[in-house]
Structures are given as C-alpha cells and as structure tokens.
Amino acid sequence: MANYQYDESGVLASYFALTFLSLILIPLTLSFLPSRQATTVKNVCNCSECEAKEARLKRTKSRSIFKPQMGVKSLSTIGGWALFAFLCYKIATTELNNKPYDPFEILGLSYGTAEKDIKRHYKKLSLKFHPDKVKLAENQTMEEVEAHFVELTKAYKSLTDEEIRNNLEKYGHPDGKQEFSMGLALPTWVVESKNNIWVLGAYGVLFAGLLPMLVGRWWFGSRKITKDGVLGATAQLFFKNVREDTTPETLIYLLARAWDIEHGSTFKSTAGESALAKLEADIKAIVGDSYGKTAKVPATQGTVATRRALALLYAHLLRVEVQDSSLQQELDALLPATQTYLGSMLSMALAHNWLACTSSIMQLHANLAQATMPGSNPLLAYPSVTKEELKLVDGGVVSYIKALEDKHDPRAEMVQRVADKWGHLEVIDPHFKVIGERIVSPGAIVQLVFKLRLTPPTQAPTASVTELTPEERKQEIREEDAFLSSKEDTAELLPGLQVPGYVHAPYFPANRKPSWWVMIGDQKMNRVIVPPIRVSDVPYANSSKAPKDYRMYKLQFQAPPQVGVYTFQLAFVSDTFVGEDVRMFLPLKVEELTEEDEQDQEDEISEPDEDTLAGQMAAMRGEKVKKSPYHGDGSDDESSTDDDQSSDSDSSSDSDSD
C-alpha cells in the first residue's frame, strides 16, 4: 500500500526549484555573453573615422564598477542565482533520514565481519546500552534508550538470525516488507488547515490575476505591433501622409513623428531647452529658415519629442556636432530605429506601387547610413571630405584622390583605402528567361536572371562575361538552367571570392553590412511592376577569377497578359552606399507561341509511355505513344524480322515471274 508523505524538510521542493531555476538561469546568463559576430566578419573598414566611432560606442556601452547600469533583466538574473545558491546550501546542510538500512553501520562493524566477532561485539554493546544498565543523561528519556537498544538488537538479529537475514536480503529491512512511501515536493505548511486561506489567496492571485494579466498584456501588446515592427499608430501616420509625390523632407519629418509615437513617452531625455535651441540654430545656419517647413505634414502634430528628433535627424544628415551627451545618446538610439520606420513606409509605398516614392525611401537608408542630405554630392560619404574641397574637384573619387596626392595630403591614403572597398555595383548580362521556352508568352512565369559584382571606383573594369569561349558559354548556360530549376534565389558563391563585411559608415551608430534592393518598374507610369527583393553578399571583382567573378541572382514574376514589347526599368538601390544606384532599361518582348512550340508542348504533355495504363488506352484508340525504354529493343527486332520476311516474299515472287 502506498503511503504519500509531504516534504517536511523541504528537500524535494528544493530539488524541484533548482531544476526549474537552472532551465531559466542558464540560457538567461548565456545571453549576456558578447556576440562573436564582430570577430567573424572580415573586411571591416579600418579608417580613422570608423575606428573613432567604434571607440566612442565602446565608451558608451562600457559600464563603470561604481555606477553599474542594471536593468530588470540583470537584477532578475542576479536574484535568480542568489536563490539558486540558497537552495544549494539548504540541500547540503539538511540531514536526510531515508538512508538504506545498514546493520553493520548501526553496530559499528565493518563489512565482512565474522559471525562470532559479531556476537562478541553485540554482547559488549548490550552490556553498555541495556536500559537496565544505562544511566539517563540530562535531556534524555528512557524511551530513547529503549529505542536505541531495540535498533541494536534488530541489527544483530539481521546478521545472525536466518529468517531475519532473509527479510533483509529480500525486502531491505529486517522486519520484512515495508509500506511504499512516496514523497510529494510540497512542504507541510501548504496543506495545514491554518494556512488554507493564505494558500488559496495566493493561488487566486497567481492564476486568476497575474497570469491573465500577463497573457492579456502580451496579447494586446502584440496586436499593437504591425508585421513591419511598428505600432499601429505609427502605421496609421504613414498611411495618411505617405503619398506618390512625398519629398525626402516629408519622410524625415515622418521619422521624427514616428520616434515620438514609439518612444516619446519612454525615452526620457535630460537635455535642456538651451541645448536643443542651440542645435536648431546651428541647423538653420546651414539650411536657412526653411528648416522644418518644407514637410507636407501639419506642423501642429507632435510634441517636444518630435521637435527634438527632427533636430537630431537634420544634425546627423548635415553632420552638425551634437555637444549635449543626452542628445547624442538619443541620436544613437534613434538612427537604428529609423531602419524599421523606413521599412514600414516602404510597405505603404509598395502597396500603391509608387515607383518614385519607393526609390526615395530606399535612398534615405543610404543617406542616414552615410550622414549625407538627400541630393548632396556622393563624395561627402568618403572620409574627411568637405563641401569646400568638392568645389575645387571636377570628377569622381579618383579625381579627388589625385588632387590630394598632388598636394601631398596624408588623407589620400585613407580615402584610397575606403574607395578600394566601396560598393560600386556592376550588373552583368541581365535578361528575361522562361524555363524550357524559347520565347516569353503571355502570362508565363518569367525569371529575371542577373549577375552582380562590386568593382571599386579606383579599379579598372574586369573582363566582361561576353568574352567567354564557346565551351565556357555552354557550361554557363547549363549552370544557369540548373540555378533556375532550383528553389534558391541566390546562387552559391564561387570559392575564392570575397564579399563586403562591415563597410565605411562612421556616423551611423552600428555596423553596416550592405545590401541592395532589386525591382522592376515602369518609369513613364511611375509604377512598380515587380516588388523588390533584397540581395546581399555581392562579391568583389577578382582578376584571378575573371570573367566569372560574379554571383548570380534571379527574380521571378508573371509576364503581362498582352502581346507586345514592354520597356521596363531595372533598378538596383543600395541601402548603404550613396550615389551607387544602378538603373537600366530592359525590354521584355511578349509574343504568342507558334504552332511548332504548341505542338512540342502537346507532345510533351499528351504522349504517355506505352507501358502505362494511359499509354495502352491511347494505343487502342490509335494515338501516338512513347516507346517503352524496356521493350524498345524487342520491338525493333520484330520489325526487322518482318522486313526480312517481306523481302524474301518479294524475291520469290520475282523468281516465279521469271
């Protein structure tokens, strides 16, 4: 019969709590370890400006021993480990009374002692511990003395008496089979009647109050977030104000409003009015009184958080120094958040297929990454370049480097290093293709196939893909067909090719790994025809691998339903490099299938194998079937035999006539 006992010592409950805590604390503690991503990424920009940014970010993230910055996560982890240590101490110091019965230990003998030695030792113990011979000590009762003597007697008999020894060997106890005892990992005070009201109250608060509150908070909180990662109020702001003719100034203002909605009530800035007013004065000294007035959004919207975020965004784009530490801290939090806000704006623009608005939103990514105003000279993205110097340079970065070298300016080497890893995109052999077809028919599934590589502006263009030999061209066609038949949108990177790591972005408070949007549009209609995809890990040009130092990508869409020639604009927009977008016009010719193409399709579809049931039914109807690969040889033999017989009959008839 089972006997259920509550855990009076609390050991079982402690073991249960330790197991539960370890499942939570170990992953939580591992999350504090620094990521190894930064050490695995190669080709990191090592210019002086990027190194200064890394040093500033490390100082910002470093925590002083005397002023530790601990959040709820850190305090919870420390508290959890403290509770874990307390439970371990409690388990280690609690005496357990569930040891297995050991008569040798009770008698104080070693294992394997002979029976005569056991009897001699027991005789000594009985003379010492017999109740009639023991003098009671202070705080000692006769019941304790008698119980101790009974325990010694049981141990002696279990080693000398045959029946008792059998009970010990069979059931583990000299008295025979014992009740089965099962401990519950609940302390006794939980079920005591005097604590019922408190235990029920705790259960009620936990399951009827706290748990529904947490689930409701998670549920209603998740409903506020859209699939783009912004609040519903932010998405509503973008829906109302993003238009087909939205200007970059309006987009910047919407970013400031989004920051106000998302973090205006949670991000507490300690910057004073004087610091904000000085920053706005510095901005107006550059852009004039038009600052904040060109946005086509009612100026009455927003709070002081909108005003502060707008000033910080303009200060970043104009490279105005932010002297207040609190404002700089807010700017470092604001800039990464803008990437999410721009993603939501992009979804709004793509929902209406606005080509110009979509391009402006994409380009603003690169402007924020390089801290340049939309429409400004792309050379400002290079290190230590000023507007005054650009007025004296006519041309691109190569001309600027040559001008610095002519003046023996030490900055020429740093600009050269950045330019050697710059993302100047080269698009190779873009074309439309339908798998298994010579032409593009109406409504067909079309694959836009293109190859990309990065050729730095300081490097001469590599050999073109058209310089392949006929054999190499055939091999490339086979590789392309295999890639189109696969489910991947990106081909594997060829061995020996390098891809960009963290590129030059000294003003953005995070590492930037570049990517490009690829989309198809109609410039005349200002419409996006095919929504963009995002590609990354484009390899650098490598002369030793030329002309196959590229990576192949594909974009799938459905051809227009009408026959004709469609001139589409193929756009490649970078999210990191300013002024390196590529746009080209690519015609798509849609034509009807010829009778020969239709016949080929019907033959491929309608002719079944003769071994199949469909083939046998078709043969009975006199239709064409495909010859069996297993019985084709036999049919050929039969036909050749028939031909021999017919030729013999013909020869015999000729001889008869003679």
Side-chain angles (χ1 to χ4, degrees), residues 23 29 104 240 245 271 281 300 321 367 456 466 471 480 558 564 574 606 627:
L23 293 176
T29 305
F104 289 100
K240 291 181 178 179
D245 57 347
T300 56
E321 183 180 0
N367 291 124
T466 56
E471 282 299 323
E480 182 179 303
Q558 189 172 13
S574 173
S606 61
K627 293 296 183 182

Side-chain angles (χ1 to χ4, degrees), residues 109 113-122:
L109 297 172
T113 304
E115 185 174 348
K116 63 178 181 178
D117 295 332
I118 295 174
K119 292 179 179 180
R120 187 184 305 114
H121 182 72
Y122 173 72

Side-chain angles (χ1 to χ4, degrees), residues 104-300:
F104 289 100
E105 182 180 358
I106 295 173
L107 294 174
L109 297 172
S110 59
Y111 290 97
T113 304
E115 185 174 348
K116 63 178 181 178
D117 295 332
I118 295 174
K119 292 179 179 180
R120 187 184 305 114
H121 182 72
Y122 173 72
K123 188 175 182 180
K124 294 179 181 180
L125 293 177
S126 62
L127 293 174
K128 182 178 179 181
F129 294 104
H130 194 278
D132 296 338
K133 300 183 179 293
V134 174
K135 293 182 180 181
L136 296 178
E138 188 177 358
N139 298 327
Q140 188 179 21
T141 63
M142 182 56 67
E143 288 77 8
E144 293 177 355
V145 174
E146 291 176 352
H148 184 227
F149 185 73
V150 169
E151 186 178 13
L152 292 174
T153 304
K154 284 184 179 180
Y156 168 72
K157 289 184 177 181
S158 64
L159 296 176
T160 57
D161 187 271
E162 189 68 25
E163 182 179 354
I164 297 178
R165 178 178 289 183
N166 291 335
N167 289 337
L168 179 64
E169 293 176 354
K170 189 174 181 180
Y171 302 108
H173 198 278
D175 293 337
K177 188 175 182 180
Q178 303 293 304
E179 285 186 345
F180 177 76
S181 177
M182 179 176 292
L184 299 178
L186 291 175
T188 309
W189 60 265
V190 173
V191 294
E192 290 180 351
S193 58
K194 62 181 181 179
N195 297 326
N196 284 350
I197 189 67
W198 301 105
V199 173
L200 291 176
Y203 272 95
V205 171
L206 179 62
F207 291 104
L210 185 60
L211 186 61
M213 184 188 71
L214 293 176
V215 173
R217 184 177 179 183
W218 166 80
W219 171 252
F220 290 107
S222 62
R223 290 185 62 186
K224 293 180 181 178
I225 305 296
T226 65
K227 65 177 183 179
D228 296 316
V230 300
L231 293 175
T234 306
Q236 186 178 8
L237 171 73
F238 296 155
F239 179 77
K240 291 181 178 179
N241 295 285
V242 174
R243 292 288 179 264
E244 188 173 2
D245 57 347
T246 298
T247 61
E249 290 81 6
T250 304
L251 295 177
I252 296 172
Y253 184 82
L254 290 176
L255 290 176
R257 285 285 297 116
W259 174 259
D260 185 3
I261 295 172
E262 300 272 340
H263 301 284
S265 59
T266 58
F267 196 95
K268 303 298 182 183
S269 176
T270 59
E273 175 63 26
S274 59
L276 182 58
K278 183 180 182 303
L279 184 61
E280 290 176 333
D282 294 339
I283 296 172
K284 290 180 180 179
I286 300 176
V287 300
D289 294 334
S290 62
Y291 163 69
K293 297 180 180 179
T294 56
K296 297 180 180 179
V297 179
T300 56

Side-chain angles (χ1 to χ4, degrees), residues 28 32 69-79:
L28 192 62
F32 286 96
Q69 300 176 1
M70 292 189 179
V72 177
K73 181 180 177 182
S74 302
L75 294 175
S76 301
T77 306
I78 294 173

Side-chain angles (χ1 to χ4, degrees), residues 16 97 104 157 201 229 401 411 476 502 504 552 643:
F16 175 78
N97 53 6
F104 289 100
K157 289 184 177 181
I401 294 174
R411 294 177 299 167
E476 185 187 45
Y502 294 145
H504 179 76
M552 195 183 311
D643 292 341

